[in-house]
Amino acid sequence: MNSARSVAVEVVKKVLYDNAYSSIVLNKYLNKFDLNKKDRALITELVYGTLKYKYTIDCILKNFIKSNLEKMNKDILNMLRISICQLRYLDKIPEFAVVNEAVEFSKNISFKLSKLVNGVLRNYLRNKSNSFGGNKEDKIEGICFEYSFPRWMAELFINQYGEDLGKFIMGSLNVVPKVTVRINTLKTDYKHAWNELIVNGYDVKRGNVYKEAVIINKGSNIELNPLFEKGHITVQDESAMLVSYFMDVEENMTILDLCSAPGGKSCHIGELMKNTGNVHCYDLYESKLSLVRHNAERLGIKNITCKKLDAAKYLEKLKDTADRVLIDVPCSGLGIIRKKPEIKWNKKEDSLKDLIEIQRKIILNAARYVKVGGKLVYSTCTLNKKENEENINWFISRNPQYKLDKLYCGDFHNIIYHEEGYMTILPDNHMDGFFIARLIKQR
């Protein structure tokens, strides 16, 4: 049974129970079956909507199912989840059709369970105007229900940023992201690429922050477009573009990118250096380095070399060799949830301590690779201050030979410039959440 909803159920199950990445498994299943454009769009909406609003959906289901949800048949539970998602957050399909599809799907598993599905969904529709948020005296629980975030994550945002900004962050992380591309100036110019995108049927607008960015409002899969295939454009968020921009590179420099895969920032650096100098790309996994090589080849970047390396382990031969070092360190990813909603459910609070330990090992190693007068850029795609500001302050206190270099790229509603010099990019309709710090080695 390859209906849109049955495919969505399978994808959600893989993500929630097999720790699959939503984008990868979704593309796999979309290509596996002969689906029309309408069904592909519906499956994508259902998968990302269900993962995004899982907390709220499960709270609703608990009002109608008294047993432990996680002990239920996984296919039945996920069909209920995507059905509630449709009924609550989508309005393209009539309610009766949503219920009937769910019941028919469930009959293939168990006639008895199909009655449960029918009863739960019809009961929800009779009571959909009710508040399902649980304990009205628990403010955090109400926020978790409204924005559909696990409690520890909601508390992290509110405790670190205050209630208003914390809500803004969570609301922005629920926004459906637009695709943003960067113009590759080695192969084309902005005006030509812009016009070609319009000719190819794309609704576009200029990027908000970075001069070579184009936001795709509407259009077909950009990676199947000739401009992408020829390397004239590449998909990259504006926040990530700013990381390479703040590397402050010059032609003929030696650059180390210690956590380079999949290569977006490495290739951007190579482009900014106009294919001069050397960009040495390292990553822990050889398989991921193949992505860097593939991107570099497509974009015509010729000053990149790739090699396997554990950035958390010091390598003596790299000492004092680099004009610039980039460490886009492994992080909790709390700033990119709008693109990877499964982060809400596959990240655990306890795991953050291990990440911070790894991040600190990496920055200590990276600092030894920078030449005197050179610069070290630290970036993450998280908004957890323990992985960001606290790590940089910890490093500076132990390495007085480094000083922070102030960052600035203009006044924008979602960019926070800290007194110390580093910056936080809050997620909004067009940008991911990021943190960037640039340090200069003085002696």
Side-chain angles (χ1 to χ4, degrees):
M1 185 180 184
N2 298 332
S3 72
R5 290 167 191 79
S6 63
V7 174
V9 164
E10 192 63 26
V11 173
V12 169
K13 184 169 68 170
K14 291 285 185 185
V15 173
L16 292 179
Y17 299 105
D18 296 339
N19 293 318
Y21 293 108
S22 58
S23 59
I24 294 174
V25 72
L26 177 60
N27 285 335
K28 177 182 175 181
Y29 274 81
L30 290 179
N31 294 327
K32 182 178 179 180
F33 301 110
D34 183 21
L35 299 161
N36 60 41
K37 188 175 180 180
K38 184 178 178 182
D39 279 346
R40 292 171 71 91
L42 176 59
I43 291 166
T44 302
E45 275 191 311
L46 290 176
V47 168
Y48 282 114
T50 302
L51 294 174
K52 185 189 305 180
Y53 295 115
K54 175 182 172 293
Y55 184 94
T56 305
I57 291 167
D58 284 359
C59 285
I60 290 169
L61 289 175
K62 287 173 185 176
N63 282 268
F64 306 111
I65 301 171
K66 300 309 176 186
S67 58
N68 187 332
L69 293 185
E70 295 304 326
K71 291 183 178 180
M72 289 182 64
N73 177 287
K74 290 182 175 59
D75 289 329
I76 294 293
L77 175 57
N78 287 321
M79 176 52 78
L80 283 168
R81 282 170 170 158
I82 71 167
S83 298
I84 296 293
C85 176
Q86 273 191 285
L87 295 170
R88 190 172 183 87
Y89 300 106
L90 307 179
D91 57 7
K92 296 176 183 176
I93 298 174
E95 292 175 347
F96 74 87
V98 174
V99 176
N100 289 345
E101 282 268 0
V103 172
E104 288 304 310
F105 170 89
S106 305
K107 284 179 181 177
N108 291 304
I109 298 170
S110 163
F111 187 75
K112 180 179 179 181
L113 289 176
S114 72
K115 289 185 174 182
L116 171 70
V117 169
N118 185 57
V120 168
L121 296 180
R122 293 190 183 281
N123 207 356
Y124 167 72
L125 288 173
R126 284 193 294 270
N127 296 279
K128 64 181 180 180
S129 60
N130 291 359
S131 171
F132 297 100
N135 186 355
K136 303 299 185 296
E137 297 179 359
D138 189 335
K139 190 173 187 179
I140 293 294
E141 187 174 330
I143 292 171
C144 291
F145 182 84
E146 180 180 356
Y147 294 95
S148 203
F149 274 77
R151 188 179 185 100
W152 75 266
M153 209 175 280
E155 288 179 332
L156 183 150
F157 289 134
I158 290 168
N159 291 339
Q160 293 188 6
Y161 291 90
E163 185 176 330
D164 289 344
L165 207 49
K167 287 180 177 179
F168 171 81
I169 289 169
M170 287 185 280
S172 297
L173 290 174
N174 283 335
V175 169
V176 177
K178 297 272 177 47
V179 173
T180 305
V181 298
R182 190 186 79 244
I183 307 300
N184 179 9
T185 55
L186 291 177
K187 289 193 171 187
T188 188
D189 59 52
Y190 197 97
K191 183 178 180 180
H192 180 264
W194 175 276
N195 289 336
E196 284 293 303
L197 285 167
I198 292 173
V199 168
N200 280 279
Y202 291 92
D203 177 9
V204 295
K205 64 173 284 189
R206 286 189 171 272
N208 293 326
V209 177
Y210 193 70
K211 63 180 180 178
E212 305 296 349
V214 178
I215 298 167
I216 310 294
N217 287 320
K218 189 180 292 185
S220 58
N221 187 340
I222 197 69
E223 294 187 6
L224 300 178
N225 184 276
L227 276 176
F228 181 88
E229 293 172 346
K230 291 185 292 187
H232 290 197
I233 60 173
T234 193
V235 177
Q236 189 176 37
D237 190 85
E238 281 191 81
S239 297
M241 295 180 204
L242 288 177
V243 175
S244 303
Y245 168 77
F246 283 124
M247 288 288 288
D248 194 24
V249 298
E250 299 172 12
E251 292 182 33
N252 296 305
M253 280 185 166
T254 296
I255 313 294
L256 304 183
D257 184 351
L258 299 183
C259 311
S260 63
K265 300 177 188 69
S266 305
C267 290
H268 191 191
I269 291 166
E271 177 191 321
L272 291 170
M273 291 169 62
K274 300 179 181 177
N275 262 338
T276 67
N278 295 285
V279 183
H280 299 286
C281 300
Y282 299 97
D283 203 85
L284 184 58
Y285 301 104
E286 180 63 39
S287 59
K288 290 187 175 182
L289 286 172
S290 65
L291 298 173
V292 182
R293 295 187 186 98
H294 176 75
N295 279 325
E297 182 178 358
R298 180 177 60 83
L299 296 168
I301 311 297
K302 303 182 186 303
N303 55 350
I304 277 180
T305 58
C306 299
K307 190 172 183 180
K308 182 180 175 181
L309 175 75
D310 184 350
K313 293 181 180 179
Y314 176 65
L315 192 61
E316 178 67 27
K317 72 176 185 178
L318 296 180
K319 184 178 180 182
D320 300 328
T321 61
D323 298 293
R324 303 284 188 270
V325 176
L326 170 61
I327 45 172
D328 186 48
V329 296
C331 69
S332 57
L334 302 187
I336 57 172
I337 287 172
R338 68 194 188 117
K339 292 176 180 171
K340 299 181 179 181
E342 66 269 21
I343 288 172
K344 290 183 181 182
W345 321 118
N346 65 18
K347 291 293 181 192
K348 305 299 178 188
E349 187 174 14
D350 293 344
S351 68
L352 300 189
K353 293 179 181 178
D354 294 334
L355 273 174
I356 291 166
E357 184 178 343
I358 293 169
Q359 290 159 355
R360 291 185 175 186
K361 286 180 179 179
I362 291 174
I363 193 171
L364 287 174
N365 287 342
R368 299 175 71 180
Y369 302 154
V370 182
K371 296 176 182 177
V372 173
K375 297 180 182 181
L376 170 64
V377 171
Y378 176 98
S379 67
T380 74
C381 56
T382 189
L383 297 168
N384 177 21
K385 293 186 178 183
K386 292 182 183 296
E387 299 175 69
N388 296 338
E389 293 95 318
E390 290 187 25
N391 269 352
I392 296 300
N393 294 339
W394 172 87
F395 171 78
I396 289 286
S397 69
R398 288 160 176 77
N399 294 271
Q401 72 274 30
Y402 275 90
K403 72 171 184 178
L404 277 159
D405 197 12
K406 283 191 178 293
L407 302 177
Y408 184 75
C409 61
D411 293 329
F412 299 94
H413 75 98
N414 65 318
I415 296 181
I416 300 171
Y417 297 105
H418 301 269
E419 285 183 10
E420 295 85 348
Y422 38 67
M423 64 188 283
T424 299
I425 305 171
L426 300 178
D428 68 357
N429 289 343
H430 301 295
M431 297 177 73
D432 289 333
F434 253 74
F435 173 84
I436 309 172
R438 185 172 66 201
L439 304 106
I440 302 174
K441 189 173 184 178
Q442 301 175 96
R443 61 181 188 276

